[in-house]
């Protein structure tokens, strides 16, 4: 398995460079054949996908996942439909300007310090592919990437990776190497990154506090951009073909498409050779867009080539958990937006540590959600959050 995924990943990388999916398709067949064997060896109750899901979200089943996706799809599709054929958000306007990379890094360090990233036990570095990793107790590394013509991409990558880092720094170091010192699941780790990226990072309060600093840092690029316009830019909805560039409303549909396809590939209902056509059809059906080539379609993610079958649902589950957590924190702490507007992130961060981080894997994700929200995993909270924040946007 390790040999096949190593070779498949290399083939996938080359196929992406050449925009040549056909050369990678045989490797994808091999990866999914091995995934079937792995599922059978692990054991399951008739659904191989359950065995693979368990690696990333222990206790989650295909039936539960299907129900969650269905509820989420019903809730967000009307929001997406309302934005189809509307004028694109003005986000492209910022891409005509240049934002010095050293200034972006300086601003990023200020944000990290303000929201509570501990530089004594962690560090920020620059690399090609952003990520966060915990080397060991007291050593959390965050790698970022900034773009001179895409200020927003760097900012939201920063917030996403800081969400992961704050979770790692909030785990009890005395239990390192035991379940109590590990994150509850991949989905729950994702909930922390999406929480800071979207629920905090796209809030009015966050930018009431940080936008004057951002304008001061990039006076030439943002001098004529009001806070109101900036908020409209960062919260725009524009269905597209790229998951990595997706807005908050359409993001989960990108995940739904991938999960539908990987389940079909695992069951054998879809063969690798037919993936590009199936991919394009689902994008047309759900988002009204069609990739112009395989590089912007089925070759954009390397998860399957790496053998990460069952990983994509963690992104959706992370968003669902994040919305529930944010609602619960607001119930306990009062107006989070007012606190953020005053530059106060300590109360929210410490609430997360007290109610989530310190327990590690003592409870499964669903149990943590039930403890803090008094209900099970519930996509309606995310749907309600998105509806409240996007239904009244200009152009709706």
């Amino acid at each position: 398995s390790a040999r096949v995924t190593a070779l498949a990943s290399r083939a996938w990388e080359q196929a992406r460079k050449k925009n040549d999916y056909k050369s990678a398709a045989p490797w994808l067949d091999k990866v999914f054949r091995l995934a079937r064997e792995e599922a059978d060896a692990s054991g399951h109750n008739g659904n191989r996908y359950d065995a693979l899901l368990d690696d990333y979200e222990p206790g989650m089943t295909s039936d539960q996942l299907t129900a969650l996706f269905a509820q989420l799809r019903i809730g967000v599709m009307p929001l997406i439909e309302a934005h189809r054929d509307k004028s694109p958000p003005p986000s492209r306007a910022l891409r005509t300007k240049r934002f010095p990379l050293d200034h972006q890094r300086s601003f990023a360090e200020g944000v990290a310090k303000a929201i509570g990233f501990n530089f004594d036990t962690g560090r920020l570095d620059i690399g090609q592919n952003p990520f966060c990793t915990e080397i060991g107790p007291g050593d959390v590394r965050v790698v970022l990437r900034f773009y001179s013509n895409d200020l927003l991409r760097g900012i939201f990558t920063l917030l996403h990776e800081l969400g992961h880092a704050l979770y790692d720094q909030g785990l009890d170091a005395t239990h390192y190497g035991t379940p109590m010192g590990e994150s509850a699941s991949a989905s729950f780790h994702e909930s922390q990154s999406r929480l800071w990226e979207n629920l905090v990072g796209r809030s009015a309060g966050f930018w009431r506090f940080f936008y004057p600093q951002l304008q001061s840092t990039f006076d030439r690029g943002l001098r004529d951009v009001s806070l109101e316009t900036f908020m409209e830019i960062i919260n725009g909805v524009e269905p597209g073909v790229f998951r990595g560039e997706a807005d908050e409303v359409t993001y989960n549909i990108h995940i739904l498409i991938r999960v539908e396809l990987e389940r079909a590939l695992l069951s054998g209902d879809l063969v690798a050779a037919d993936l590009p056509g199936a991919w394009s059809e689902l994008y047309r059906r759900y988002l009204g867009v069609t990739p112009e080539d395989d590089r912007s379609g089925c070759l954009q993610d390397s998860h399957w080539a790496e053998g990460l079958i069952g990983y994509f649902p963690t992104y959706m589950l992370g968003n669902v958990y994040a919305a529930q957590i944010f609602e619960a924190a607001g119930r306990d702490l009062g107006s989070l937006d007012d606190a953020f507007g005053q530059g106060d992130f300590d109360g929210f961060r410490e609430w997360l540590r007290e109610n989530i981080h310190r327990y590690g894997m003592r409870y499964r994700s669903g149990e943590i959600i039930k403890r803090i929200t008094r209900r099970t995993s519930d996509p309606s909270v995310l749907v309600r959050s998105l509806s409240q924040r996007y239904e009244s946007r200009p152009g709706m």
Side-chain angles (χ1 to χ4, degrees):
S1 178
R3 178 179 180 276
V4 168
T5 53
L7 293 172
S9 295
R10 178 61 177 167
W12 196 270
E13 180 183 344
Q14 293 301 312
R16 180 170 169 76
K17 286 181 180 178
K18 299 176 182 178
N19 194 27
D20 176 27
Y21 170 75
K22 288 183 179 180
S23 64
W27 287 104
L28 199 61
D29 278 327
K30 293 178 182 179
V31 169
F32 274 91
R33 185 180 68 249
L34 285 172
R36 295 183 198 108
E37 293 177 7
E38 177 187 341
D40 290 341
S42 299
H44 52 82
N45 293 319
N47 192 322
R48 286 170 169 152
Y49 200 63
D50 286 354
L52 303 179
L53 271 177
D54 205 60
D55 286 341
Y56 309 107
E57 184 60 12
M60 179 62 63
T61 68
S62 296
D63 288 345
Q64 290 173 319
L65 193 67
T66 298
L68 289 171
F69 266 123
Q71 191 174 350
L72 197 56
R73 183 182 68 247
I74 291 170
V76 301
M77 284 306 297
L79 284 175
I80 296 172
E81 290 290 345
H83 277 280
R84 281 182 180 171
D85 304 323
K86 299 292 183 181
S87 299
S91 58
R92 306 299 178 197
L94 289 184
R95 295 187 180 178
T96 64
K97 304 178 181 183
R98 292 292 180 268
F99 300 92
L101 299 182
D102 58 335
H103 291 182
Q104 290 191 52
R105 177 164 187 171
S106 177
F107 177 76
E109 290 173 348
V111 170
K113 182 178 180 180
I115 70 174
F117 179 73
N118 187 346
F119 282 90
D120 292 332
T121 60
R123 56 182 292 156
L124 305 182
D125 292 298
I126 305 299
Q128 281 295 109
N129 298 304
F131 66 90
C132 172
T133 186
E134 182 185 19
I135 304 299
D139 191 357
V140 175
R141 311 286 181 92
V142 173
V143 173
L144 303 170
R145 184 177 181 184
F146 300 108
Y147 307 82
S148 62
N149 66 337
D150 195 343
L151 175 65
L152 300 183
R153 187 174 181 181
I155 288 174
F156 287 104
T157 294
L158 164 75
L159 292 170
H160 184 95
E161 300 305 336
L162 285 176
H164 284 305
L166 290 173
Y167 191 4
D168 287 338
Q169 290 186 334
L171 294 170
D172 190 338
T174 63
H175 290 294
Y176 181 78
T178 75
M180 284 286 288
E182 301 291 333
S183 60
S185 70
S187 298
F188 227 77
H189 225 308
E190 190 66 16
S191 78
Q192 301 305 287
S193 63
R194 300 296 283 183
L195 189 63
W196 285 94
E197 176 187 358
N198 290 328
L199 280 304
V200 179
R202 297 182 191 276
S203 69
F206 183 91
W207 288 108
R208 282 199 305 273
F209 180 73
F210 279 114
Y211 193 60
Q213 299 174 40
L214 191 68
Q215 274 191 313
S216 177
T217 303
F218 302 104
D219 177 65
R220 182 177 299 179
L222 297 175
R223 182 181 305 165
D224 300 324
V225 181
S226 67
L227 174 59
E228 182 180 0
T229 298
F230 185 78
M231 291 301 297
E232 184 181 345
I233 289 172
I234 67 171
N235 289 301
V237 177
E238 186 177 10
V241 298
F242 291 105
R243 176 183 70 87
E245 298 178 5
D247 56 79
E248 190 182 4
V249 173
T250 62
Y251 185 87
N252 290 301
I253 301 303
H254 289 266
I255 302 305
L256 181 151
I257 289 170
R258 285 156 175 76
V259 173
E260 284 193 17
L261 292 171
E262 78 174 358
R263 291 173 72 170
L265 286 164
L266 184 68
S267 69
D269 291 340
L270 177 67
V271 296
D274 294 334
L275 178 62
W279 184 286
S280 294
E281 169 57 24
L282 288 181
Y283 265 86
R284 184 198 62 75
R285 183 194 309 172
Y286 286 124
L287 293 176
V289 296
T290 304
E292 63 180 23
D293 55 24
D294 291 336
R295 184 184 289 120
S296 59
C298 62
L299 282 172
Q300 62 180 273
D301 296 304
S302 61
H303 295 58
W304 293 334
E306 294 170 8
L308 300 177
I309 316 302
Y311 190 89
F312 276 122
T314 67
Y315 296 119
M316 180 277 288
L317 291 168
N319 285 326
V320 170
Y321 295 153
Q324 291 185 264
I325 292 166
F326 195 74
E327 182 181 71
R331 180 196 67 217
D332 290 350
L333 299 174
S335 175
L336 295 175
D337 199 66
D338 288 347
F340 299 160
Q342 297 170 23
D344 178 7
F345 301 94
D346 292 351
F348 178 59
R349 186 189 64 253
E350 293 308 311
W351 185 93
L352 292 173
R353 288 186 173 174
E354 176 66 21
N355 290 277
I356 296 173
H357 300 174
R358 69 188 180 97
Y359 291 115
M361 292 182 70
R362 180 176 180 180
Y363 307 107
R364 286 185 171 181
S365 301
E367 293 176 272
I368 297 174
I369 288 295
K370 195 168 184 178
R371 285 173 61 87
I372 63 178
T373 69
R374 308 186 186 105
R375 69 178 81 175
T376 57
S377 305
D378 185 2
S380 70
V381 180
L382 175 58
V383 171
R384 183 167 64 249
S385 172
L386 292 172
S387 297
Q388 290 171 346
R389 290 182 289 125
Y390 286 89
E391 281 184 342
S392 60
R393 289 281 155 75
M396 289 296 292

